[in-house]
Amino acid sequence: MTLRFILAALFCAVLPSCGSSSSNAESQTTDTSQVPTDGEKQEQGSEDAEGNDKVIMDGNKLGAWIFYIDEPGLIHNNHQDMANYLADMGVKRVFIKISDINYQWQNNKISFTEFSVDCGVWQDACDPSNLEFYKQKGLEVWAWTYNDTHSYEEQADMLEAAIKVGYDGFVLDIEVEFDGDSESLKQLLEAHKSRFNSLANSAPEHFKLAATTWGNPKDHDMNVALIDQYVDAHIPQTYIEKWGADFIADIAGTINIGDCEYRELGATKPIWHIISHEDKLLTAQDFNTFIQYAGPNASVWRISDSNLMTEASAIDWGNTSFQSQACSQNNFEL
């Protein structure tokens, strides 16, 4: 298991992937409608200087990502302890890696029996009893996978596994391999949509399909409009700590730029930003500011070793007050 993590880390170091986003976001000037009201909101608060509403919610779905439960240095290195830790902090949604098309796939292909799912080295993530630790604590449990431009039906097996194991949602991680390659992207999405349709009767009614990709998709020639046709939500990697001091200094502006860029590229579905926590450059207040503007579906990549636990524990995971901006639109729907 340790070797698996080391090899995956080396792969991520070569490519700007595995949850990393590169380059700078571009300025946008889109002015679209404000966040609409919905049943989850208690009230509209006062406006900011640009006339955008402060939104008070009944609750939130703030989330955290897990790379590997047996990651070296991870303090809570089993699912029961991790579920207790996340629930005690107030995390509402957890994203657990279930498979990776590029990690020794011949040895780790998904396979099915009448009563179980075999996920190779990710078997811990395909054990329903492990998911129950989170669900008993009231967390939504989502599966995520790293994807590539080949073996589309085998990649769709990952989605089928997530449904059969009992996950609440599924996230495709779509990165550098799909930059400027809409044809491959369409094949990947079609395979997953077709598989989901074939399993509609066995999937939970609340099950959602989402995609995570760059927080600056224009720089990567990512076909956001195509992704939008297949998913229930976009989950951009808005990694301000990777982008530099100017973006950390203007968190609200960076989120607005990202929202507007996604809207200009054709996103109509909700946008749920991820903030990275790998380099220990951000304070707990930075995370709180990010969440305030990103909204109640924001999440943190990733729960990691003790060096990074202080800031994660100090985040206001119970926050219910958020600030809309020009392109927030439906981002705050729970």
Side-chain angles (χ1 to χ4, degrees):
M1 292 296 191
T2 301
L3 176 61
R4 181 189 76 197
F5 171 75
I6 293 171
L7 291 172
L10 289 172
F11 178 74
C12 293
V14 173
L15 294 175
S17 56
C18 298
S20 293
S21 189
S22 62
S23 189
N24 292 341
E26 301 175 13
S27 296
Q28 303 295 332
T29 57
T30 300
D31 183 13
T32 62
S33 59
Q34 302 303 305
V35 180
T37 59
D38 64 58
E40 299 291 343
K41 294 166 190 166
Q42 294 177 327
E43 61 184 78
Q44 298 293 116
S46 59
E47 295 181 347
D48 66 6
E50 284 73 41
N52 300 310
D53 285 322
K54 181 178 180 180
V55 181
I56 310 300
M57 308 288 292
D58 289 333
N60 70 55
K61 292 288 187 179
L62 298 178
W65 296 70
I66 297 174
F67 193 19
Y68 300 112
I69 197 64
D70 59 349
E71 176 185 348
L74 199 64
I75 302 302
H76 305 283
N77 59 0
N78 63 79
H79 288 287
Q80 184 173 16
D81 288 350
M82 181 62 76
N84 291 334
Y85 169 64
L86 296 179
D88 288 345
M89 282 199 299
V91 174
K92 307 301 192 305
R93 184 181 276 151
V94 59
F95 300 88
I96 301 174
K97 188 170 186 179
I98 193 174
S99 195
D100 188 326
I101 190 65
N102 287 326
Y103 182 76
Q104 299 182 9
W105 186 241
Q106 293 305 312
N107 296 324
N108 294 299
K109 286 184 178 182
I110 304 290
S111 62
F112 304 96
T113 69
E114 184 178 357
F115 301 108
S116 66
V117 178
D118 184 353
C119 296
V121 294
W122 285 276
Q123 190 58 36
D124 65 278
C126 287
D127 183 343
S129 65
N130 283 331
L131 271 65
E132 280 303 308
F133 291 128
Y134 300 96
K135 293 188 175 187
Q136 288 170 6
K137 291 291 183 175
L139 277 74
E140 283 187 11
V141 193
W142 288 50
W144 69 275
T145 64
Y146 195 84
N147 300 97
D148 206 342
T149 55
H150 60 88
S151 308
Y152 301 112
E153 288 302 318
E154 291 183 344
Q155 290 185 75
D157 287 342
M158 303 174 188
L159 171 60
E160 182 170 347
I163 292 173
K164 290 189 173 182
V165 170
Y167 282 90
D168 297 299
F170 183 86
V171 185
L172 297 100
D173 189 355
I174 298 169
E175 300 195 26
V176 65
E177 295 84 358
F178 294 90
D179 287 2
D181 188 351
S182 294
E183 180 55 39
S184 295
L185 179 60
K186 184 174 182 179
Q187 292 183 66
L188 176 77
L189 294 168
E190 286 279 3
H192 281 76
K193 193 66 172 181
S194 176
R195 186 67 61 89
F196 181 78
N197 289 341
S198 72
L199 297 168
N201 292 334
S202 57
E205 185 177 351
H206 62 265
F207 191 94
K208 288 181 170 53
L209 181 65
T212 180
T213 189
W214 316 107
N216 50 338
K218 274 189 178 180
D219 290 354
H220 293 270
D221 193 19
M222 183 60 67
N223 194 334
V224 171
L226 179 60
I227 296 172
D228 193 77
Q229 297 175 32
Y230 294 88
V231 300
D232 298 299
H234 300 272
I235 310 184
Q237 297 161 23
T238 310
Y239 288 178
I240 57 175
E241 70 168 3
K242 305 291 186 184
W243 294 349
D246 290 345
F247 296 92
I248 296 174
D250 186 16
I251 294 173
T254 300
I255 291 171
N256 190 52
I257 288 169
D259 283 340
C260 292
E261 184 168 314
Y262 265 76
R263 299 303 180 194
E264 287 190 358
L265 291 176
T268 65
K269 307 295 173 55
I271 300 168
W272 302 349
H273 295 269
I274 317 173
I275 185 171
S276 62
H277 185 38
E278 296 179 299
D279 302 331
K280 207 174 176 66
L281 298 180
L282 304 174
T283 66
Q285 184 53 51
D286 290 329
F287 288 107
N288 288 335
T289 299
F290 186 95
I291 290 167
Q292 178 186 0
Y293 288 91
N297 296 291
S299 58
V300 177
W301 166 268
R302 56 192 164 85
I303 296 301
S304 192
D305 59 28
S306 59
N307 183 52
L308 299 173
M309 290 176 67
T310 302
E311 294 79 20
S313 298
I315 293 172
D316 181 7
W317 292 99
N319 181 41
T320 57
S321 176
F322 306 96
Q323 180 61 57
S324 68
Q325 298 192 91
C327 299
S328 298
Q329 295 183 10
N330 52 2
N331 295 355
F332 293 2
E333 295 178 357
L334 294 178

